[in-house]
């Protein structure tokens, strides 16, 4: 995008690219917001029968996205990753704040960024209600708020022995896209176009999370890698798991790769923002109906087991029904580490 540096000050920038569009959202659908941008704090209306879910995510240039990333896609993803956290707990979005550090007030960049940001904000009725801007290395921090009926939040700590383990959609495409962009793997142009949105514009599973209230015993979103994130459930619940590798849902594009790449990317690739959840096996028909109602594939990939040792373990089963060695398991359990 051609650089268009403006002489906008901080408050002009906020008014032009963020406050005006936020106010339009609130006029048409105020929802839980009593007061949005313009005061020292935003005000949210609370219901004594509900609880508030709060999540924050930071995206740092060069760490979470390429420095020349498409700003429209970046605006979408910055909010999507927060909405995915709300989805994992079964929360309905209420609003979000944006803290944005910018190396320069580039009007073209801000126009595109705000377009992507408000596209997803409108899709999920989640208005911008406040935040801050400053000069500095490009850094995007969003805090999102959601509401959940009292005691209905889906936690990581609720997995029970015998639970089925499920995952939504397909996983591994975001990692495959990254590999193609880094020239680690050569993909045909058409194949890359099919999966690229999975990395740049993920779909938070808000409707699934809401539908899973009272159905799922535990849940987590697959941001850092499916099996690595599943391990968070096991750690919080004090359980083991058994996973059938071949059952992990993969796209047609990923299935064109070697079995080793398929398994590695699907198991630990990250950036998918699908939901991994557990539920009592007697609810399989209920979950199948949810899948049909939402037109979203939900795949049962394994089960929760009693913890056998001092810490949770994941047993991986190959296509022939054999258990993988500890070395093979450890390789597939490597998830994204922000400080690695």
């Amino acid at each position: 995008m051609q650089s268009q540096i403006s002489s906008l000050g901080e408050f002009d920038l906020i008014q032009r690219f963020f406050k005006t569009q936020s106010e339009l959202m609130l006029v048409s659908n105020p929802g839980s917001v009593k007061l949005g941008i313009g005061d020292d704090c935003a005000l949210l209306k609370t219901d004594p029968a509900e609880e508030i879910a709060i999540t924050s995510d930071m995206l740092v240039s060069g760490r979470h996205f390429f420095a020349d990333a498409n700003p429209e896609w970046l605006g979408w993803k910055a909010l999507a990753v927060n909405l995915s956290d709300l989805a994992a707990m079964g929360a309905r979005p209420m609003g979000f704040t944006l803290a944005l550090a910018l190396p320069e007030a580039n009007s073209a960049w801000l126009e595109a960024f705000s377009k992507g940001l408000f596209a997803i904000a409108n899709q999920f009725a989640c208005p911008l209600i406040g935040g801050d801007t400053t000069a500095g290395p490009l850094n995007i921090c969003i805090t999102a708020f959601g509401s959940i009926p009292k005691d209905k939040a889906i936690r990581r700590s609720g997995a029970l022995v015998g639970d089925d383990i499920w995952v939504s959609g397909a996983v591994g495409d975001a990692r495959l896209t990254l590999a193609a962009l880094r020239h680690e793997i050569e993909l045909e142009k058409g194949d890359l176009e099919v999966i690229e949105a999975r990395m740049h514009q993920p779909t938070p599973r808000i409707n699934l999370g809401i539908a899973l209230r009272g159905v799922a015993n535990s849940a987590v979103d697959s941001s850092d890698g499916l099996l690595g994130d599943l391990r968070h459930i096991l750690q919080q619940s004090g359980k083991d798991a058994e996973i059938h590798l071949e059952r992990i849902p993969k796209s047609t594009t990923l299935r064109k790769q070697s079995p080793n790449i398929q398994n590695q990317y699907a198991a630990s690739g990250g950036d998918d923002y699908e939901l991994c959840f557990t539920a009592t096996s007697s609810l399989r028909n209920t979950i199948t109906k949810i899948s049909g109602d939402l037109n979203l594939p939900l795949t049962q990939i394994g089960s929760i087991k009693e913890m056998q040792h001092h810490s949770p373990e994941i047993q991986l089963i190959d296509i022939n029904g054999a258990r993988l060695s500890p070395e093979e398991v450890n390789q597939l359990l490597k998830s994204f580490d922000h400080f690695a």
Side-chain angles (χ1 to χ4, degrees), residues 273-290:
Y273 300 99
E274 296 292 347
L275 295 191
C276 176
F277 63 94
T278 78
T280 306
S281 58
S282 62
L283 293 176
R284 288 177 184 174
N285 289 339
T286 299
I287 293 170
T288 299
K289 184 178 185 305
I290 290 172

Side-chain angles (χ1 to χ4, degrees), residues 10 13-14 18 57-62 65 67 71 74 78 97-106 109-110 113 117 130-142:
E10 178 184 5
L13 184 156
I14 292 170
F18 301 108
D57 265 295
M58 183 182 298
L59 297 181
V60 179
S61 178
F65 58 90
L74 191 56
T97 62
L98 168 67
L100 184 63
L102 296 166
E104 57 191 14
N106 183 320
W109 191 96
L110 284 162
F113 177 83
L117 182 74
D132 191 23
T133 59
T134 189
L138 183 56
N139 189 316
I140 306 158
C141 184
I142 284 179

Side-chain angles (χ1 to χ4, degrees), residues 62-136:
R63 183 61 177 170
H64 300 101
F65 58 90
F66 296 117
D68 61 350
N70 181 316
E72 184 175 342
W73 291 349
L74 191 56
W76 176 286
K77 188 170 184 176
L79 181 54
V81 301
N82 286 270
L83 294 180
S84 184
D85 286 335
L86 294 183
M89 297 197 76
R92 173 185 61 82
M94 299 171 67
F96 72 99
T97 62
L98 168 67
L100 184 63
L102 296 166
E104 57 191 14
N106 183 320
S107 295
W109 191 96
L110 284 162
E111 190 75 43
F113 177 83
S114 63
K115 180 180 179 182
L117 182 74
F118 282 101
I120 188 170
N122 276 285
Q123 181 173 326
F124 290 98
C126 186
L128 175 63
I129 58 174
D132 191 23
T133 59
T134 189

